[in-house]
């Protein structure tokens, strides 16, 4: 008779829905929200993030003949295609930058594309990042918040390989490497933070809304043509140009070019604007992901 309550209690625990056991109390969510301000949560999982990032990079080229040479060969071939199409076929020139150089326009476009791909490559893969790791959600105690970080980390690795091609061009041409290029890691870090915030939103929403992925692809395409990759932002109407520059994709693309090709260092207002918007998007995305991940198991 004395064991009956214990037996009923054990049965209740077994019958307790999985979602109720996974959903964290508000107090835990508050701690996670504080962790985003201090980056403590991601810092503690640093070794795991590094391992997942390496796995993400190497898995893409596993079994290929050239292996890890592809991150360098692919952007080089892409630059060759851009040079032929834009410089020889269209005869395009970028005002003020390499106007007399046949390869100049292609390099300017390629520099912007390498930067934008930090966002495009990571966000494009995030709708499936949780769905592809169902076991981590349903059977294993695993920090799901590190999965989008690995996607952004892999995109940064590929962007760095493309950046090496730009540096080689600058060394072989009459252009000079400016000291302002030392600001590039700061700009890319802010842009990666923005991309990570969007990845958190996309990854969590895609668990509940399975047809969200096509909308993500359309959004990436819209930002691709709206971020000034193929044209200077100065060509935009004066009414919308300041607002477009405030968007991290356009701001990061523009400042990457200015730092590498023109040697212009970002002003304090521009840098604070890029960092502020990026951190705000990251904080909102991370908080949403942490609050919504409790229902992933039921949604899957």
């Amino acid at each position: 008779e004395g064991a009956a309550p214990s037996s009923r209690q054990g049965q209740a625990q077994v019958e307790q829905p999985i979602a109720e056991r996974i959903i964290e109390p508000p107090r835990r969510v508050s701690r996670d929200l504080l962790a985003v301000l201090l980056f403590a949560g991601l810092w503690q999982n640093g070794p795991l993030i590094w391992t997942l990032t390496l796995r993400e990079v190497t898995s893409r080229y596993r079994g290929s003949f050239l292996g890890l040479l592809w991150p360098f060969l692919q952007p080089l071939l892409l630059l060759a295609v851009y040079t032929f199409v834009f410089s020889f076929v269209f005869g395009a020139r970028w005002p003020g930058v390499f106007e007399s150089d046949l390869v100049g326009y292609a390099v300017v476009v390629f520099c912007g594309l390498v930067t934008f791909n930090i966002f495009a490559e990571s966000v494009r893969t995030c709708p499936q990042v949780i769905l592809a790791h169902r076991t981590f959600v349903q059977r294993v105690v695993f920090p799901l918040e590190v999965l989008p970080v690995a996607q952004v980390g892999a995109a940064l690795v590929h962007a760095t390989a493309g950046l090496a091609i730009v540096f080689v061009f600058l060394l072989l041409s009459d252009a000079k490497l400016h000291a302002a290029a030392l600001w590039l890691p700061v700009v890319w870090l802010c842009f990666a933070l923005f991309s990570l915030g969007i990845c958190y939103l996309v990854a969590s929403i895609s668990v509940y809304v399975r047809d969200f992925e096509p909308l993500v692809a359309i959004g990436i395409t819209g930002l691709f043509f709206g971020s000034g990759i193929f044209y200077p932002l100065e060509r935009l109407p004066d009414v919308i140009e300041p607002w477009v520059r405030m968007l991290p994709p356009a701001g990061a693309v523009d400042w990457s070019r200015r730092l590498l090709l023109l040697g212009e260092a970002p002003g304090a207002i521009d840098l604070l604007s890029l960092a502020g918007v990026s951190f705000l998007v990251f904080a909102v995305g991370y908080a949403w992901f942490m609050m919504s991940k409790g229902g992933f198991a039921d949604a899957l």
Side-chain angles (χ1 to χ4, degrees):
E1 181 179 356
S6 176
S7 177
R8 287 194 298 269
Q9 182 179 2
Q11 184 179 1
Q13 291 178 353
V14 172
E15 295 176 353
Q16 184 183 13
I18 297 177
E20 294 182 8
R21 297 201 302 269
I22 295 178
I23 294 177
E24 298 165 344
R27 202 167 37 178
R28 175 63 182 277
V29 173
S30 300
R31 289 201 302 269
D32 287 329
L33 190 56
L34 178 61
V36 70
L37 301 177
L38 303 176
F39 297 94
L42 299 179
W43 180 263
Q44 291 174 355
N45 292 306
L48 178 60
I49 292 173
W50 176 252
T51 301
L52 290 175
T53 300
L54 289 180
R55 190 190 71 171
E56 182 66 25
V57 173
T58 56
S59 64
R60 299 185 185 185
Y61 309 103
R62 184 178 296 118
S64 61
F65 182 74
L66 296 178
L68 291 179
L69 287 178
W70 275 113
F72 299 93
L73 184 60
Q74 186 174 2
L76 183 61
L77 295 175
L78 192 61
L79 178 59
V81 172
Y82 283 168
T83 301
F84 175 76
V85 172
F86 290 109
S87 299
F88 291 95
V89 177
F90 293 107
R93 297 292 184 270
W94 195 280
V97 182
F98 306 124
E99 290 191 26
S100 60
D101 194 335
L102 291 177
V103 190
Y105 184 87
V107 172
V108 175
V109 171
F110 181 75
C111 182
L113 185 63
V114 165
T115 303
F116 183 81
N117 274 347
I118 297 175
F119 170 83
E121 182 180 336
S122 55
V123 174
R124 189 181 295 114
T125 57
C126 269
Q128 296 293 327
V129 70
I130 302 298
L131 301 176
H133 296 84
R134 297 172 182 265
T135 304
F136 290 173
V137 178
Q138 298 173 329
R139 300 181 182 178
V140 181
V141 178
F142 184 84
L144 297 175
E145 60 272 16
V146 305
L147 294 176
V149 183
Q151 303 297 320
V152 177
L156 281 172
V157 171
H158 289 97
T160 304
L163 182 64
I165 305 300
V166 177
F167 280 142
V168 170
F169 168 80
L170 294 177
L171 291 174
L172 296 179
S173 65
D174 296 333
K176 298 180 180 179
L177 289 177
H178 303 278
L182 296 175
W183 284 100
L184 187 64
V186 178
V187 173
W188 276 20
L189 179 62
C190 294
F191 191 37
L193 206 62
F194 168 83
S195 302
L196 182 56
I198 299 297
C199 284
Y200 279 131
L201 292 172
V202 169
S204 57
I205 294 175
S206 297
V207 175
Y208 301 100
V209 184
R210 299 299 174 85
D211 52 355
F212 188 62
E213 187 171 0
L215 297 178
V216 173
I218 295 173
I220 293 175
T221 303
L223 285 175
F224 177 78
F225 288 104
S227 298
I229 295 177
F230 297 100
Y231 57 87
L233 292 178
E234 289 78 10
R235 292 186 178 179
L236 293 173
D238 296 336
V239 178
I240 65 174
E241 180 186 350
W243 299 100
V244 173
R245 287 186 181 276
M246 288 181 62
L247 297 175
V253 166
D254 185 54
W255 276 113
S256 295
R257 287 181 179 140
R258 292 176 181 270
L259 292 172
L260 291 173
L261 306 179
L262 299 178
E264 296 181 8
I269 296 180
D270 297 318
L271 197 58
L272 289 176
S273 175
L274 177 62
V277 174
S278 298
F279 183 81
L280 178 62
V281 172
F282 167 72
V284 172
Y286 183 84
W288 170 264
F289 184 89
M290 297 304 293
M291 289 186 292
S292 62
K293 73 174 186 177
F296 286 175
D298 281 348
L300 293 177

